[in-house]
Amino acid sequence: QVQLVESGGGLVQAGGSLRLSCAASGRTFSNYAMGWFRQAPGKEREFVAQISWSVGSTVYADSVKGRFTISRDNAKNTVYLQMNSLKPEDTAVYYCAASTMWPIRSEQRYAYWGQGTQVTVSS
């Protein structure tokens, strides 16, 4: 089992920045590729970004490429999502998730999920 706890969400104006964190406990964190997903009101959950186990290779959704950066610190069992130039359409609940597969965008391939953190971007 892997337990994931997100933090760092909040209310920010358009153009601003937020940094989300996801702390992991349980099984060896470095064995998992970590992803971020988001779900806006009335919409399906969608892939945002993923980072590989150790060398830190990354993939992003087109909608966030160039604005968001995913990173991880295996010594701290934590994955981050730095979000810059935020837009109102980035408003959603953001989830981190762990997968044994890389690269993978399908949420069905992620075995462990956090509870989510709300990000609201005002115009």
Side-chain angles (χ1 to χ4, degrees):
Q1 284 278 20
V2 176
Q3 292 79 41
L4 303 172
V5 179
E6 301 97 334
S7 61
L11 173 64
V12 64
Q13 288 189 330
S17 298
L18 280 176
R19 188 196 197 199
L20 305 183
S21 300
C22 174
S25 60
R27 292 187 177 180
T28 305
F29 177 69
S30 59
N31 288 347
Y32 294 89
M34 299 299 297
W36 285 97
F37 289 76
R38 67 186 182 185
Q39 187 168 22
K43 295 187 177 182
E44 293 186 351
R45 189 157 56 186
E46 64 175 0
F47 172 83
V48 174
Q50 190 191 25
I51 188 166
S52 63
W53 298 272
S54 57
V55 296
S57 297
T58 57
V59 292
Y60 295 93
D62 288 344
S63 58
V64 306
K65 200 174 295 182
R67 300 188 298 123
F68 291 10
T69 302
I70 187 172
S71 61
R72 67 189 295 163
D73 185 337
N74 286 342
K76 296 182 178 180
N77 287 357
T78 302
V79 62
Y80 305 96
L81 186 68
Q82 178 67 44
M83 304 185 296
N84 298 329
S85 302
L86 282 161
K87 305 175 181 179
E89 52 263 44
D90 294 317
T91 295
V93 177
Y94 283 71
Y95 300 88
C96 72
S99 176
T100 57
M101 301 179 70
W102 161 265
I104 192 73
R105 300 174 183 240
S106 171
E107 63 177 280
Q108 283 75 28
R109 300 301 182 183
Y110 287 77
Y112 303 103
W113 292 82
Q115 83 288 349
T117 186
Q118 177 70 48
V119 171
T120 303
V121 184
S122 63
S123 58

